Amino acid sequence: MSEPAKTFKITLTELSDGFSYALKAPDGGSCGPQSFQLPEKLSQDWQSLSPSLYRSLLRETKSTTRDKRLKDAKRHLEDLGKQLYDAIFSHRDAHALLERGKNALAEDELLLLQLSIQGSRLEDLPWEALYYEGRFLALDRQLIPLRHLEHSEPIKAIRSFEPLRVLFVSADPYQNLDLDSEFERLEEALDKLYPKVELDELPHASFQDLADKLSQDGPYHVLHIAGHAEKTKGGQLLLERDVVSAADLATQLSQHPSLALVVLNACESALADEKLNPFAGLAKSLARENIPAVIAMQLKIADDSAIAFSKAFYRKLSQSGDIGQALSAARVAMKLDSLEWLTPVLYSRAQDLKLLMLNVANESEKQQRLEALKKRLIQAEKTNDWPKADKTLDRLDALVMGSDRLWFEARRKRITAQLELPLQLARAQKLRDEGSYQRAYDLLQKLRALDYQHPQVNELFEKVWAKLYPTIQGTPPRMKA
């Protein structure tokens, strides 16, 4: 889609004696301000629905139990979404205005449902669940619910170079999250999108680690944060050694103009109290500052849905640069019958969600990427992270030219051998167990030449040496670098 999305503005205001709405359609038509009331139990119903909605998504429960929970949660969510829709659009003029806006869309156009919400009682309600005539509006490919935050300073699209670069940042100060699995799911989704999308990782992050990573290894376009947050004090992010306010985080991120989006992901054990969206305060605060767009995940989602979301979202974002389009594609890609499409909530103060314009990298950009990947490769080798080194080599393959190919091929040979070392070590152990000491000795000599400090290789070599040369006192000399 090349045309910018059209905007249907919905302004909701909390008053001393109720609420009011004002609507403005893309064609300039308007309705309101008009007062309205919400059922007294609506907020309470949502709070009571939250635990059952959360539990309905858990895969550990028996299928029959889960199906019943899911059916009940879906029915209650439909009822709640209908009440929210009727509160605003039951008025004939309001309904007609929205229908006119939808009907005027061309087949490839989007309509942003731009929700400007003032008042905590309204903010806490699930406006993404608006429900009318048997369907949730958020599941219409052409309708994008957006929590819009007013600001006098406009947001401009960010111009950068391919690939779309995503940095996964994780922290678990309470040590109760499975963040390795979170990264593995994201990696599984994004690996298939390379070279259009590239994923990098910063585990066990402190605030200083994050600042250093962004400065040294950037530019990045998306910051994908997994861990804990608190709603207090306008939203705070809990890193390994720091509690970081939204203002301090926004100040740090604003120094990196390539950054278009922050994704805040609450893991399952971070939702142990079964409350929705612990990242809401942080998301709103970041979006009010200098971050173009923020997506807050308000529920833990199943592994297959997380992969489906990431794959669809980042593929579409790399193609179009439009966060609204990407979110719409991702909602549809998730398991719609599980209600997991409700998980992402989008916050932005942008009028147009086409926030990224990625051009084909020029020679200068390619050289910068080459040097950054070489640096990452060397670091992986130093820490003996051979799978990461192998993956980094795959990234380097398309960038390495000329005389650098000799360096590249030597690295490839060494890393491949390191990846095969555990298998060769097991083979040497088997030869030793079978009594084939000379063959085990020859193989271990090759492995020692590859990694002279490998403790298991040296230990087995000493045992084989003792069998071959029982009359020689002491142990064989260690190999030197």
Side-chain angles (χ1 to χ4, degrees):
M1 298 180 195
S2 57
E3 293 297 320
K6 295 181 178 179
T7 300
F8 188 95
K9 296 182 179 181
I10 305 172
T11 302
L12 304 175
T13 306
E14 186 174 330
L15 307 173
S16 58
D17 58 348
F19 310 95
S20 73
Y21 69 78
L23 310 176
K24 187 173 182 180
D27 61 8
S30 61
C31 179
Q34 176 72 41
S35 62
F36 71 97
Q37 297 292 327
L38 290 171
E40 290 184 6
K41 291 183 60 180
L42 188 63
S43 180
Q44 181 181 340
D45 288 345
W46 174 230
Q47 292 303 319
S48 63
L49 173 60
S50 303
S52 62
L53 179 62
Y54 169 70
R55 287 194 297 267
S56 74
L57 304 181
L58 298 181
R59 293 300 196 263
E60 301 85 51
T61 55
K62 294 181 179 179
S63 59
T64 53
T65 303
R66 183 179 177 276
D67 289 345
K68 184 178 184 305
R69 285 176 177 172
L70 180 59
K71 185 177 180 180
D72 291 344
K74 185 177 181 181
R75 185 177 68 252
H76 286 120
L77 188 62
E78 289 172 353
D79 182 63
L80 194 147
K82 186 176 186 303
Q83 291 182 66
L84 290 173
Y85 185 93
D86 288 344
I88 301 172
F89 296 106
S90 60
H91 191 284
R92 183 180 60 186
D93 293 342
H95 176 75
L97 199 66
L98 179 59
E99 288 298 304
R100 192 165 74 237
K102 291 192 295 182
N103 293 335
L105 293 174
E107 185 176 346
D108 61 348
E109 285 184 312
L110 297 178
L111 183 65
L112 291 182
L113 301 180
Q114 189 185 88
L115 292 150
S116 297
I117 305 174
Q118 301 169 25
S120 60
R121 286 193 293 168
L122 292 170
E123 286 179 348
D124 290 341
L125 293 170
W127 296 99
E128 289 75 18
L130 287 171
Y131 186 82
Y132 176 68
E133 289 189 342
R135 64 189 178 96
F136 293 100
L137 300 192
L139 297 183
D140 187 320
R141 283 183 177 272
Q142 292 184 282
L143 302 180
I144 312 295
L146 163 67
R147 303 266 182 147
H148 187 258
L149 302 162
E150 299 294 339
H151 200 285
S152 58
E153 184 179 343
I155 289 180
K156 298 179 181 179
I158 294 170
R159 295 182 178 274
S160 189
F161 295 94
E162 294 180 340
L164 175 70
R165 302 197 65 221
V166 181
L167 175 61
F168 178 87
V169 178
S170 60
D172 184 16
Y174 302 139
Q175 298 185 348
N176 63 351
L177 304 179
D178 187 6
L179 295 177
D180 289 340
S181 294
E182 287 287 316
F183 177 72
E184 288 169 6
R185 288 195 293 273
L186 188 61
E187 187 176 42
E188 180 181 344
L190 300 193
D191 268 359
K192 297 174 183 178
L193 302 181
Y194 188 84
K196 289 294 185 181
V197 182
E198 181 180 299
L199 178 64
D200 199 0
E201 182 186 16
L202 179 63
H204 314 295
S206 69
F207 194 38
Q208 187 60 52
D209 293 336
L210 176 59
D212 292 343
K213 184 71 173 178
L214 291 170
S215 298
Q216 296 170 11
D217 295 343
Y220 295 101
H221 307 113
V222 180
L223 195 62
H224 192 116
I225 301 176
H228 294 274
E230 293 179 349
K231 288 185 177 181
T232 56
K233 300 180 181 179
Q236 299 181 113
L237 180 64
L238 278 60
L239 296 178
E240 289 295 328
R241 298 184 295 276
D242 315 281
V243 178
V244 184
S245 69
D248 287 344
L249 182 58
T251 298
Q252 173 57 238
L253 300 185
S254 66
Q255 299 176 40
H256 304 279
S258 64
L259 197 63
L261 173 67
V262 174
V263 177
L264 300 168
N265 191 17
C267 300
E268 182 173 317
S269 52
L271 293 168
D273 58 0
E274 297 179 341
K275 292 180 180 178
L276 288 174
N277 208 351
F279 283 118
L282 183 62
K284 287 184 288 187
S285 297
L286 287 176
R288 283 194 182 99
E289 298 289 336
N290 297 307
I291 309 305
V294 182
I295 292 177
M297 298 294 188
Q298 63 179 336
L299 284 171
K300 165 70 179 178
I301 57 179
D303 293 356
D304 53 353
S305 291
I307 292 170
F309 175 89
S310 295
K311 190 183 299 183
F313 180 83
Y314 288 114
R315 178 192 291 118
K316 194 65 175 179
L317 186 60
S318 67
Q319 292 171 347
S320 69
D322 190 305
I323 292 169
Q325 288 184 34
L327 183 55
S328 178
R331 286 192 197 277
V332 174
M334 297 165 79
K335 288 184 175 294
L336 303 184
D337 61 349
S338 72
L339 304 181
E340 290 172 312
W341 57 267
L342 185 63
T343 301
V345 179
L346 175 61
Y347 300 83
S348 180
R349 54 190 175 88
Q351 297 294 332
D352 184 0
L353 291 176
K354 189 174 178 61
L355 294 173
L356 265 176
M357 301 181 71
L358 297 177
N359 299 314
V360 176
N362 56 30
E363 290 305 314
S364 174
E365 286 292 327
K366 288 180 180 178
Q367 187 61 34
Q368 289 181 32
R369 293 291 305 121
L370 176 63
E371 295 304 320
L373 287 170
K374 281 184 176 180
K375 180 179 175 182
R376 190 186 304 177
L377 175 62
I378 292 170
Q379 181 61 32
E381 290 176 331
K382 284 181 178 179
T383 58
N384 294 323
D385 190 345
W386 302 111
K388 184 175 182 180
D390 186 53
K391 187 166 291 185
T392 305
L393 271 183
D394 289 340
R395 305 288 194 250
L396 276 165
D397 197 2
L399 296 172
V400 174
M401 303 292 178
S403 59
D404 274 348
R405 293 302 300 184
L406 295 175
W407 169 90
F408 176 85
E409 295 302 335
R411 275 302 202 283
R412 173 68 80 189
K413 184 177 180 180
R414 178 168 184 263
I415 290 169
T416 299
Q418 286 288 354
L419 290 170
E420 293 176 352
L421 192 148
L423 294 175
Q424 296 298 327
L425 181 59
R427 181 171 168 237
Q429 178 69 57
K430 184 178 179 182
L431 290 170
R432 181 244 184 188
D433 294 343
E434 292 172 348
S436 300
Y437 299 118
Q438 187 61 53
R439 292 175 63 194
Y441 175 87
D442 294 341
L443 178 55
L444 287 166
Q445 280 284 56
K446 294 178 181 178
L447 297 182
R448 293 178 84 212
L450 178 65
D451 188 347
Y452 71 96
Q453 291 181 324
H454 198 288
Q456 286 91 353
V457 170
N458 283 323
E459 180 183 359
L460 184 59
F461 183 79
E462 289 170 4
K463 292 178 180 178
V464 172
W465 170 281
K467 289 290 186 180
L468 283 174
Y469 308 106
T471 61
I472 300 179
Q473 298 296 317
T475 58
R478 299 281 183 179
M479 296 186 70
K480 295 182 180 180

